[in-house]
């Protein structure tokens, strides 16, 4: 590790030129890195090698893995649509263990606390490392520098970009499918354990050398709709269980009851209402997270009062968004992942509730994507700084705690709003410099705290539109000073070693920042 | 010398923004300090320095101090440390008083007291954002919301909170305990910026005068000239019957509040949502307050989840003649403030009267008239009040006269 060269990138952060043996490009600025070359694809197959009947079933995961030619050192791709209710990947890695396979790289679109047992497999060498959003216990494990190699944190769009650009090669993709036919056509929107969309696995299905679909609800051909096309699938395995959709509701998808957060949500909705872009036909994305959900609820009241309807909202869908769709307040839900069972039902029943993929929504290396067409996006952050840079990957103590999700991709919206409390447990969230820079300040327009609203000075348009409307608009430095006064000054910076334990990729595949191991 | 350990504060998995401090006096060996903190890497050194400085203020040279911190703000750490030392020593002359970083303008007898938010006096994490919700008043409670064994701890927390927390222009109130303990409470709060004292379970004018006399002594001693208003709470049959004398007990009484849990218990009936059992009492106290020229203030609505119930309750209170209502959750405040707001018709009429008054004053006329109608001084006064209320509720711009 210590031989790696560190260089300063365009936002002044020191980043390695090589990660896990792969050469890297330092971040150059928004839109500054011009990609070249052609996208990757899977090996060319021939129909003659597959059953004419279309029946690709094999009895067990283990057999499917063997048929796919599983070997030590391979990269396994999977999607996270069951979120904390996933029951597939533990079975997959247990099968690998039984087969004596070692040194695997797991490349999920996200990992959750339910995957904690994999730590044991990492310690025994079955899994060498996980490349994907690390949350909870796995995040803590990697933070301690215990995971082999460097954690590579990517956005949802960045994962698609990395695969299509050939930065990450998936050897075998294993996709949980709440409903599938024997040919491999699969969908997530129906079946006894429906979880909504499974489109985070789409790129895996399109590019992996081998693709396995695992389902607990096999239906006769054709499985309709097909979110994943069977023509990309090698084998289909029937399992007793693949996941528990009740657990797609994670802690971050409940409305807040905290009066402070409700106040922040109310300010956020009022701010949106004060902007010129709030007009008939506007569009919006509010992520999971109690404050974002509460914002949508306040905004709904204003939309009813003002008789304003949104053209579309981007999901993460929840029951609150579904209600607005069914009331006619939203024209369409364009949904990347479903956060509760009402969202799942709506996607199945309502043709205006459309599953999207990281390709359509977020992929920077495409011919545009939906992210830039969104008027308002409401996101979270662990920290921000006086230059409006923001952090979602680490906390102020330097620990790696969160996955990036679609966060970086969403920054491309017309008005990017971060509603966040001004401090958490004594620690102020407005810093001179964020601990880890995940999003550059030039893309972050508004920071809304319970102590006031800070507008990025670059956005003179927003400053003008929202002035004199009774909103508590203040310079960001003023909010920072207020908090530091009662917190007893700014927090001490974490003492870190020079060991890079993680890197944060920007949406174009360049490295925007490094995460260093915190000193004991 | 027996070595007694003093402990104060809270610890454990669920504790946030508070800390636990233990202190054991020693005869020699200096200070031994152990700090465990959830924010150790960011504020660990800061906490150590603060504790050592606090011990120096208290004149403690030897002892063992243990701190378990869950992100407590500095004013809380000071309060917990002082309480732990006081508990260990049994008595302590010194106090760790944080530097006063907020200045509060003095309060007026007839200011709005529509909404007042109760905060338990020993729960600091609820305090530092309490000023964000536009309550007319914030009550730091030393009485029913604090367990008997924690009264000393709450006194320190409240004293420190008043010096460092910006309550956003809310009137700063403290509800003291009953009787002698309440008079002792005053020593901890009067020197530090309190603007109004709520006196619980008052049954006689003498009780109010005893509080007023003690406040006067403390103010003279420490040189406070700003008025400290009194809000006696009527919570019994006897208190009700004495309410006129209580309201007139001294010139600093600004309001009479009621407490219905204790009142219904006192008259021996269950408290109902409809409130028939307290109808007479409420009407009587309103009349006593009005007769004495002070504000009648309603009790709290305790079902936090029932916004419509709260709204109905505030409407009833307003219709009966109350000027304000207690809140136990910040989300109740906007409802209370809105419902005590005047109607558009009332505001329009009040604006016309105020403009006529301005006009008469400018022309040196002794009589205000609107059209052909003469306006009596109390009507002008009420119109001014209505206009102020409309501005406070956001229904009228404060520069409305320029636009009128």
């Amino acid at each position: 590790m210590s031989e790696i060269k560190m260089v300063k990138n365009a936002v002044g952060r020191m980043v390695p030129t090589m990660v896990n043996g792969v050469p890297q490009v330092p971040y150059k600025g928004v839109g500054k890195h011009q990609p070249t070359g052609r996208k990757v694809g899977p090996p060319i197959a021939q129909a003659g090698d597959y059953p004419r009947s279309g029946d690709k079933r094999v009895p067990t995961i283990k057999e499917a893995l063997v048929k796919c030619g599983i070997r030590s050192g391979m990269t396994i791709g999977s999607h996270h649509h069951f979120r904390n209710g996933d029951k597939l990947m533990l079975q997959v890695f247990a099968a690998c263990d039984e087969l004596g396979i070692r040194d695997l790289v797991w490349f999920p679109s996200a990992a959750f606390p339910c995957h904690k047992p994999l730590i044991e497999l990492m310690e025994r060498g079955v899994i060498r490392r996980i490349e994907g959003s690390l949350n909870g216990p796995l995040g803590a494990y990697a933070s301690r520098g215990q995971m082999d190699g460097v954690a590579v944190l990517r956005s949802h769009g960045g994962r698609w970009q990395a695969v299509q650009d050939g930065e990450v090669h998936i050897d075998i993709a294993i996709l949980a499918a709440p409903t599938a036919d024997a040919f491999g056509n699969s969908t997530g929107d129906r079946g006894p354990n429906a979880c909504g969309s499974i489109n985070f696995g789409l790129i895996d299905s399109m590019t992996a050398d081998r693709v396995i679909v695992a389902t607990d609800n096999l239906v006769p051909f054709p499985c309709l709709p097909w979110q994943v096309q069977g023509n990309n699938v090698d084998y289909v395995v029937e399992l007793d269980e693949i996941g528990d959709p009740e657990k797609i509701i994670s802690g971050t998808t409940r409305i807040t009851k905290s009066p402070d957060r409700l106040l922040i949500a109310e300010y956020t909705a009022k701010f949106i209402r004060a902007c010129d872009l709030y007009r008939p036909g506007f569009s919006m994305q509010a992520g999971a997270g109690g404050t974002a959900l509460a914002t949508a609820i306040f905004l709904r009241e204003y939309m009813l009062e003002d008789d304003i309807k949104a053209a579309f909202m981007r999901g993460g869908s929840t029951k609150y968004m579904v209600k607005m769709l069914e009331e006619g307040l939203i024209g369409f839900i364009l949904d990347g992942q479903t956060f509760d069972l009402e969202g799942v039902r709506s996607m199945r029943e309502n043709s205006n509730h459309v599953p999207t993929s990281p390709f359509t929504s977020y992929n920077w290396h495409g011919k545009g994507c939906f992210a830039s067409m969104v008027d308002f996006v409401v996101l979270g952050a662990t920290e921000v700084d006086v230059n409006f840079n923001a952090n979602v990957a680490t906390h102020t103590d330097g620990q790696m705690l969160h996955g990036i999700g679609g966060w970086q991709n969403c920054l491309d919206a017309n008005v990017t709003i971060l509603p966040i409390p001004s401090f958490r447990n004594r620690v102020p969230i407005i810093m001179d410099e964020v601990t880890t820079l995940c999003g550059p300040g030039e893309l972050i327009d508004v920071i809304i705290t319970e102590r006031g609203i800070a507008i990025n000075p670059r956005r003179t348009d927003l400053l003008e539109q929202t002035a004199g409307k009774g909103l508590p608009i203040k310079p960001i430095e003023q909010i920072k000073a207020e908090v530091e006064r009662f917190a007893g000054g700014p927090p001490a910076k974490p003492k870190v070693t020079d060991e890079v334990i993680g890197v944060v990729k920007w949406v174009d595949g360049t490295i925007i920042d490094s995460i260093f191991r915190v000193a004991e | 010398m027996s070595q007694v350990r003093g402990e104060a504060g809270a610890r454990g998995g669920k504790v946030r923004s508070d800390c636990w401090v233990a202190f054991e006096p020693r005869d020699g060996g200096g200070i031994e300090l152990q700090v465990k903190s959830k924010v150790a890497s960011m504020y660990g050194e800061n906490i150590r320095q603060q504790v050592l400085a606090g011990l120096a203020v208290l004149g403690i040279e030897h002892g063992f101090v243990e701190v378990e911190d869950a992100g407590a703000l500095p004013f809380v750490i000071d309060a917990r440390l002082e309480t732990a030392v006081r508990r260990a020593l049994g008595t302590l002359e010194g106090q760790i008083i944080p530097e006063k970083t907020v200045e509060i303008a003095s309060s007026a007898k007839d200011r709005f007291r529509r909404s007042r938010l109760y905060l338990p006096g020993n729960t600091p994490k609820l305090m530092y954002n309490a000023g964000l919700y536009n309550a007319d008043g914030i009550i730091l409670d030393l009485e029913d919301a604090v367990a008997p064994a924690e009264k000393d701890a709450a006194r320190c927390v409240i004293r420190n909170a008043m010096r460092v927390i910006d309550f956003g222009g809310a009137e700063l109130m403290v509800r003291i305990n009953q009787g002698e303990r309440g008079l002792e409470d005053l020593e901890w709060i009067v020197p530090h910026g309190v603007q109004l004292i709520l006196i619980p379970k008052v049954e006689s004018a003498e009780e109010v005068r005893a509080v007023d006399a003690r406040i006067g002594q403390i103010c003279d001693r420490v040189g406070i000239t700003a008025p400290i208003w009194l809000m006696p709470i009527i919570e019994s049959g006897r208190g009700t019957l004495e309410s006129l004398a209580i309201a007139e007990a001294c010139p600093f009484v600004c309001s009479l509040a009621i407490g219905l849990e204790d009142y219904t218990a006192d008259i021996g009936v269950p408290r109902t949502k409809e409130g028939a059992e307290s109808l007479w009492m409420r009407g009587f106290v309103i009349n006593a307050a009005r007769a004495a020229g002070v504000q009648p203030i309603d009790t709290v609505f305790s079902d936090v989840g029932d916004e419509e119930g709260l709204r109905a309750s505030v409407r009833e209170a307003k219709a009966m003649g109350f000027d304000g209502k207690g809140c136990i959750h910040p989300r109740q405040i906007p409802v209370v403030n809105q419902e005590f707001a005047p109607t558009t018709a009332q505001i329009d009429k009040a604006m016309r009267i105020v403009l006529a008054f301005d006009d008469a004053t400018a022309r040196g006329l002794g009589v205000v008239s609107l059209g052909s109608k003469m306006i009596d001084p109390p009507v002008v006064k009420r119109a001014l009040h209505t206009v102020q209320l409309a501005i406070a509720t956001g229904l009228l711009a404060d520069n409305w006269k320029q636009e009128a």
Side-chain angles (χ1 to χ4, degrees), chain A residues 394-471:
Chain A
T394 60
H395 269 201
T396 306
D397 61 6
Q399 299 291 326
M400 178 162 52
L401 285 173
H402 301 278
I404 293 170
W407 187 89
Q408 284 179 330
N409 312 108
C410 287
L411 300 181
D412 211 16
N414 285 314
V415 181
T416 297
I417 305 172
L418 307 186
I420 34 180
S422 66
F423 65 106
R424 294 188 181 95
N425 226 19
R426 183 171 181 168
V427 184
I429 59 99
I430 303 173
M431 320 282 291
D432 284 322
E433 247 187 356
V434 283
T435 308
T436 307
L437 200 161
C438 301
E442 65 189 281
L443 295 179
I444 294 166
D445 302 310
V446 190
I447 290 160
I448 301 189
T449 75
E450 78 288 356
R451 296 195 136 63
I453 299 175
I455 300 175
N456 192 328
R458 296 160 178 270
R459 293 304 300 262
T460 50
D461 57 336
L462 297 178
L463 280 159
E464 272 171 34
Q465 289 165 25
T466 57
K469 293 187 177 170
L471 293 166

Side-chain angles (χ1 to χ4, degrees), chain A residues 257-263 266-267 298 396-397 422-428 450-451 482 484-495 518, chain B residues 15-18 38-39 41-43 46-47 50 69-75 77 101-102 125 128-130 132-133 164-166 329-331 334:
Chain A
K257 286 204 171 79
S258 142
D260 300 339
R261 309 261 168 138
L262 285 170
L263 184 66
E266 191 176 345
Y267 283 160
F298 283 112
T396 306
D397 61 6
S422 66
F423 65 106
R424 294 188 181 95
N425 226 19
R426 183 171 181 168
V427 184
E450 78 288 356
R451 296 195 136 63
E482 251 179 70
E484 286 178 0
R485 189 173 53 74
F486 63 71
K493 286 201 172 297
K495 289 189 185 67
V518 175
Chain B
V15 174
R16 295 278 181 281
S17 308
D18 203 339
K38 285 189 180 161
V39 294
S41 65
M42 294 164 282
Y43 288 101
N46 190 307
I47 294 169
Q50 190 189 344
D69 167 59
L73 294 177
F75 83 91
I77 296 173
T101 54
V102 283
K125 73 168 178 180
Y128 36 72
N129 279 350
L132 301 173
Y133 299 100
V164 303
I165 296 179
D166 178 359
H329 191 278
R331 295 311 295 176

Side-chain angles (χ1 to χ4, degrees), chain A residues 125-149:
Chain A
V126 179
I127 299 171
R128 187 167 77 236
R129 60 188 178 83
I130 299 173
E131 186 158 336
S133 287
L134 294 169
N135 295 295
L138 292 168
Y141 183 76
S143 296
R144 292 191 296 264
Q146 286 169 288
M147 194 171 82
D148 200 18

Side-chain angles (χ1 to χ4, degrees), chain A residues 139-299:
Chain A
Y141 183 76
S143 296
R144 292 191 296 264
Q146 286 169 288
M147 194 171 82
D148 200 18
V150 173
V152 181
L153 303 185
R154 292 186 177 88
S155 59
H156 291 325
R159 184 179 188 271
W160 188 290
Q161 168 272 323
V163 177
Q164 72 154 41
D165 291 6
E167 289 169 27
V168 177
H169 173 74
I170 303 171
D171 295 298
I172 301 175
I174 302 171
L175 305 176
T179 293
D181 61 29
F183 184 65
N185 293 313
S186 313
T187 183
D189 69 355
R190 58 202 67 201
N193 290 312
C195 62
S197 165
I198 54 169
N199 279 338
F200 275 101
L202 206 54
I203 185 73
D204 307 56
S205 78
M206 291 161 59
T207 61
D209 288 351
R210 296 288 184 174
V211 178
I212 301 169
V213 160
T215 186
D216 61 352
N217 184 44
L218 193 83
V219 295
F221 176 86
C223 163
L224 285 169
W226 49 65
Q227 293 174 347
V228 166
Q229 285 183 297
N231 311 62
N232 288 320
V233 174
D234 290 87
Y235 301 104
V236 175
V237 183
E238 273 188 276
L239 294 175
D240 291 338
E241 48 182 16
I242 55 169
D244 176 3
E246 296 285 345
K247 292 195 181 144
I248 63 179
I249 308 167
S250 69
T252 56
T253 50
R254 285 191 197 105
I255 290 196
T256 181
K257 286 204 171 79
S258 142
D260 300 339
R261 309 261 168 138
L262 285 170
L263 184 66
I264 295 170
E266 191 176 345
Y267 283 160
T268 307
K270 281 184 174 159
F271 183 88
I272 291 172
R273 192 186 201 182
C275 292
D276 289 354
L277 280 174
Y278 172 74
R279 70 211 185 283
F282 82 103
S283 59
M284 183 169 157
Q285 176 160 7
T291 309
L293 294 180
T295 299
I297 292 187
F298 283 112
L299 194 64

